[in-house]
Amino acid sequence: MIDKLIRLSKIYPPKDLIENLSRPLTAKQGFAIKISRDAFEDVIVIDQTKKLLFYDQKGNVSGKSPTVKISGSNVDDFKKVVKKVAEFFNETALQNVYETIVGNLEAITEKAFQKYSESLGKDKPSFFTVIIDGKFPEDHPIVREIFVERVMEKSKSGIDGICATCGKKTKVTASANQVFKFITFDKPGFCPNLDKSQAVKVFPICENCLLLLENASNLIKNKLTFDFVGSNLWIIPSIVGDDPEILKAVTEKIASIGIGSVEITASKTLRDFSKLELSAEEILSEEGENVLYDFLLIKQSQSQQRIELHVSEVSPTRLRKLYECSKSISKLFEENGLDISMEKSSFKPGFEQLWYLFGKPAADEAGRKEYLNLVEACFTQNQFNYDRFLWYIMKKLRQTFHQFPENLKNDALSAFGNLLYLTAINVLRPTQGGAKMPQEEGIFDSFFDKFKEFFDEPWKKAVFLTGVLVKRVMEVQESRKGKSPFLKKLGGLKMNYNQIKYLLTESWKKLQQYDAFQSSDEILFSEASKYFLQASDVKASIDLLNFVLTLGMTFPRNLLLKNFERKVEGVSVNE
């Protein structure tokens, strides 16, 4: 991975060391301490600029950068940040600036905190910097010089060795983790004899290659980073062979994804990959097979980074498969009138809806790890456990059933669409729920054939049609009583096969009791009964049984019965 980053870095050489070492800030506004002729003037609010010489730094008083992020929101927190800014100037050539800040510490803190408290909305000032005689840090020659020295200080010390990336014999250090924090040297297993001081033997790197990593880090932040389920997603391209122009063109394509899209808003600092997934997959799949992509999901916590997911060398062919299958399922739903209300967009199976169906698990929840395993499976075509997927789906649908019943149709159809999608991309492999038996021709065959990958067993068709009749009973009760007592018979959507079979008979009885039995109900009952008779040795899981039932309960009845006519006496099914 490091080799890929260095190779990428070489096609975007920085103009100078400052461009290489200075990190971008995501904050829109911050505070600047104005100093003129060694005297404190004021604290002003400024817009973010590239001239701040920002660099991530650990500890309360590290002094690597003249610009520091604000952490915390009380006066004491502000005072610590101002001290951290001052420490950068604790240098002979800038001693007057240091003494000016320290001598006016209380006044600077008070003014900044007052302006912070008065600011409205989310975009509060969130960094501190210094303007000296009207010059931003980058415009001040001495500040520039000291910034480079401080940042590169560790790399200039070191031992004689061979750089792990370029192979040259030179001075090397274990400094790669100051650029990419997920490179870890302080945990068991990373260093010989668990001795951190021996880390240089694990991954020695020379100053030149370290600068290339710094450049790669900036390149990733500026061009290749997306937001994905609350973490940073890096898409790192690589090529087979040596053609920097192809690599650069692919990098620019990634950088262009979503630019100008409605998904990019002023309130977001990063592009949302889950909302741009389809267009991203289309763009990335246009390349030849000599192009590959690494997907890294990085959890950023202050100055720490942790890799949540790393999918290596995904091919354009695989991304084309994801794109085409998603479009195909969307088209199938649209052609069959399956309307799923999606906020600001049409129905597109994929990562965003799967995240919703998994319950949007937080970083410390077990569901997040399984969701990311599913994401990895989509990119790699690995198998994801079918029963485990259904467990998450039914957990969501049961919650919706009890708490937000008005959303059950949307959630069930979305779950169905995503199940079909995952099956189409060979991530889910359905388990056999019953013995394969010859099936008689049925009235609804043309409907079931549209979804034949799912409705591949008689019992599924029987349970689905039972769900349609259950919904019919509930609608009759709601229209006459204002509520549906029949809900109590659904067992919280945790019924076994025999209970669902009994539900079919119960639905028949209730419709007769209310004198609401229609010819279309008779056909549904007859067909469901026939499929139950054809089913044999059904061993489907509780989750699969109840998913099929819920799908029938939420499926638009008029679409199922559309264009069907009862041949006996010419009675129309559409009543």
Side-chain angles (χ1 to χ4, degrees):
M1 185 63 207
I2 297 297
D3 289 340
K4 292 175 184 176
L5 294 175
I6 286 180
R7 193 176 180 187
L8 193 60
S9 176
K10 288 179 179 179
I11 66 172
Y12 288 90
K15 296 175 184 176
D16 56 23
L17 274 177
I18 291 297
E19 183 181 336
N20 209 348
L21 299 178
S22 184
R23 302 289 177 85
L25 271 167
T26 56
K28 294 181 179 179
Q29 289 188 321
F31 293 114
I33 305 167
K34 285 189 70 177
I35 296 175
S36 296
R37 298 179 181 179
D38 299 331
F40 167 60
E41 271 192 6
D42 199 0
V43 175
I44 61 172
V45 176
I46 63 167
D47 291 331
Q48 200 263 99
T49 170
K50 292 182 178 179
K51 296 187 173 186
L52 300 177
L53 301 187
F54 172 72
Y55 191 87
D56 294 326
Q57 46 193 328
K58 295 180 180 180
N60 292 327
V61 194
S62 64
K64 278 189 177 181
S65 170
T67 300
V68 179
K69 287 181 181 179
I70 295 173
S71 57
S73 57
N74 59 49
V75 174
D76 290 337
D77 293 327
F78 273 51
K79 190 176 293 185
K80 289 177 183 177
V81 175
V82 176
K83 285 181 179 179
K84 201 170 182 179
V85 172
E87 190 59 29
F88 174 85
F89 297 93
N90 193 5
E91 188 86 21
T92 303
L94 294 170
Q95 196 65 29
N96 290 344
V97 177
Y98 172 75
E99 292 175 357
T100 300
I101 296 174
V102 173
N104 293 275
L105 181 61
E106 297 296 334
I108 292 170
T109 303
E110 185 179 334
K111 278 198 171 190
F113 187 72
Q114 181 181 349
K115 291 186 178 184
Y116 181 87
S117 302
E118 292 171 353
S119 60
L120 302 174
K122 295 180 180 178
D123 298 326
K124 287 179 176 287
S126 53
F127 63 83
F128 260 102
T129 192
V130 179
I131 296 176
I132 305 169
D133 295 326
K135 295 179 180 178
F136 282 101
E138 187 178 320
D139 298 326
H140 198 292
I142 298 176
V143 174
R144 286 169 59 94
E145 182 181 339
I146 292 173
F147 174 74
V148 172
E149 286 180 4
R150 295 279 179 83
V151 173
M152 297 302 299
E153 185 176 12
K154 186 176 178 181
S155 67
K156 292 184 181 298
S157 61
I159 63 172
D160 291 330
I162 297 175
C163 178
T165 57
C166 68
K168 293 180 180 177
K169 189 173 182 179
T170 182
K171 288 284 184 183
V172 293
T173 62
S175 303
N177 64 339
Q178 79 179 40
V179 182
F180 293 107
K181 310 299 187 209
F182 57 76
I183 300 174
T184 309
F185 296 131
D186 58 354
K187 290 185 174 65
F190 285 85
C191 301
N193 304 319
L194 306 182
D195 184 357
K196 188 178 176 182
S197 66
Q198 299 297 306
V200 69
K201 296 179 181 179
V202 179
F203 193 79
I205 190 167
C206 68
E207 181 179 343
N208 184 57
C209 288
L210 186 65
L211 286 171
L212 287 171
L213 282 186
E214 293 277 8
N215 189 43
S217 176
N218 283 333
L219 176 64
I220 289 168
K221 288 183 179 179
N222 291 328
K223 292 179 179 289
L224 307 176
T225 300
F226 297 77
D227 175 72
F228 184 61
V229 298
S231 294
N232 288 351
L233 178 68
W234 299 351
I235 303 180
I236 310 297
S238 60
I239 59 170
V240 178
D242 186 19
D243 192 332
E245 289 304 314
I246 292 178
L247 187 56
K248 187 171 186 177
V250 175
T251 303
E252 290 301 322
K253 276 193 172 184
I254 297 172
S256 73
I257 293 171
I259 300 301
S261 165
V262 294
E263 307 298 352
I264 308 300
T265 63
S267 62
K268 285 216 168 200
T269 56
L270 290 175
R271 297 165 288 173
D272 190 334
F273 183 80
S274 62
K275 294 186 181 300
L276 296 166
E277 179 193 352
L278 211 58
S279 59
E281 289 166 352
E282 181 182 23
I283 291 169
L284 298 180
S285 68
E286 292 171 349
E287 301 303 321
E289 289 305 297
N290 63 325
V291 176
L292 299 167
Y293 305 96
D294 279 42
F295 292 81
L296 274 85
L297 191 65
I298 306 291
K299 188 67 179 177
Q300 189 87 29
S301 177
Q302 296 181 350
S303 60
Q304 300 301 309
Q305 292 175 333
R306 177 172 61 86
I307 297 178
E308 289 191 279
L309 176 68
H310 181 193
V311 187
S312 181
E313 300 186 347
V314 180
S315 71
T317 299
R318 182 58 184 170
L319 295 175
R320 172 59 59 173
K321 178 77 171 178
L322 302 187
Y323 169 75
E324 289 179 346
C325 287
S326 181
K327 293 282 286 184
S328 175
I329 300 300
S330 297
K331 184 179 180 182
L332 177 65
F333 272 46
E334 184 179 346
E335 289 176 345
N336 287 280
L338 295 177
D339 179 33
I340 302 178
S341 301
M342 305 300 298
E343 185 179 356
K344 299 181 181 178
S345 65
S346 57
F347 171 66
K348 304 183 193 77
F351 296 140
E352 182 180 21
Q353 290 180 33
L354 288 168
W355 174 244
Y356 169 78
L357 292 169
F358 267 62
K360 299 182 179 180
D364 57 347
E365 294 181 31
R368 183 178 179 91
K369 183 177 180 180
E370 294 207 74
Y371 170 76
L372 294 180
N373 287 342
L374 177 59
V375 171
E376 180 178 15
C378 290
F379 284 132
T380 61
Q381 200 174 322
N382 289 339
Q383 295 292 302
F384 189 86
N385 186 276
Y386 191 80
D387 290 335
R388 194 61 181 161
F389 178 75
L390 285 169
W391 183 87
Y392 277 103
I393 293 304
M394 283 312 301
K395 180 183 177 183
K396 179 64 179 177
L397 294 182
R398 288 177 186 122
Q399 180 188 48
T400 304
F401 175 71
H402 290 297
Q403 299 177 13
F404 311 102
E406 68 278 7
N407 295 335
L408 189 61
K409 173 193 168 186
N410 242 35
D411 288 359
L413 290 178
S414 175
F416 184 48
N418 278 280
L419 186 146
L420 294 176
Y421 166 69
L422 293 172
T423 303
I425 62 174
N426 302 316
V427 167
L428 291 182
R429 186 171 294 163
T431 54
Q432 199 66 37
K436 282 287 186 182
M437 301 288 289
Q439 297 185 39
E440 297 178 19
E441 184 178 343
I443 291 178
F444 300 111
D445 279 356
S446 61
F447 163 77
F448 288 125
D449 284 346
K450 294 175 182 177
F451 308 99
K452 58 186 176 183
E453 294 82 3
F454 182 76
F455 291 108
D456 55 347
E457 299 178 84
W459 73 262
K460 287 184 181 177
K461 300 174 183 179
V463 172
F464 176 83
L465 295 176
T466 299
V468 177
L469 275 175
V470 167
K471 180 62 175 176
R472 173 94 167 90
V473 173
M474 292 165 59
E475 288 175 343
V476 170
Q477 287 184 331
E478 286 168 1
S479 66
R480 299 188 183 187
K481 295 186 174 184
K483 60 180 181 179
S484 177
F486 206 69
L487 281 170
K488 296 178 182 178
K489 295 185 178 290
L490 301 184
L493 299 181
K494 294 182 180 180
M495 292 177 289
N496 61 33
Y497 183 65
N498 288 329
Q499 288 171 323
I500 293 175
K501 285 178 71 174
Y502 182 69
L503 203 58
L504 177 64
T505 305
E506 285 288 291
S507 300
W508 170 282
K509 290 178 180 177
K510 282 295 178 185
L511 289 173
Q512 287 186 324
Q513 178 184 328
Y514 289 114
D515 195 24
F517 209 80
Q518 298 177 346
S519 58
S520 56
D521 299 324
E522 184 179 346
I523 290 177
L524 287 166
F525 179 82
S526 174
E527 289 295 293
S529 300
K530 180 179 71 178
Y531 287 126
F532 273 126
L533 288 173
Q534 291 179 18
S536 175
D537 194 24
V538 176
K539 297 178 181 178
S541 69
I542 295 295
D543 287 329
L544 180 55
L545 285 165
N546 286 271
F547 174 65
V548 179
L549 179 73
T550 305
L551 192 59
M553 288 166 52
T554 55
F555 200 90
R557 176 185 170 92
N558 64 312
L559 296 178
L560 176 65
L561 301 176
K562 187 178 180 180
N563 299 326
F564 289 104
E565 288 189 353
R566 189 176 183 185
K567 302 302 181 182
V568 180
E569 299 176 0
V571 179
S572 174
V573 174
N574 286 318
E575 294 184 9

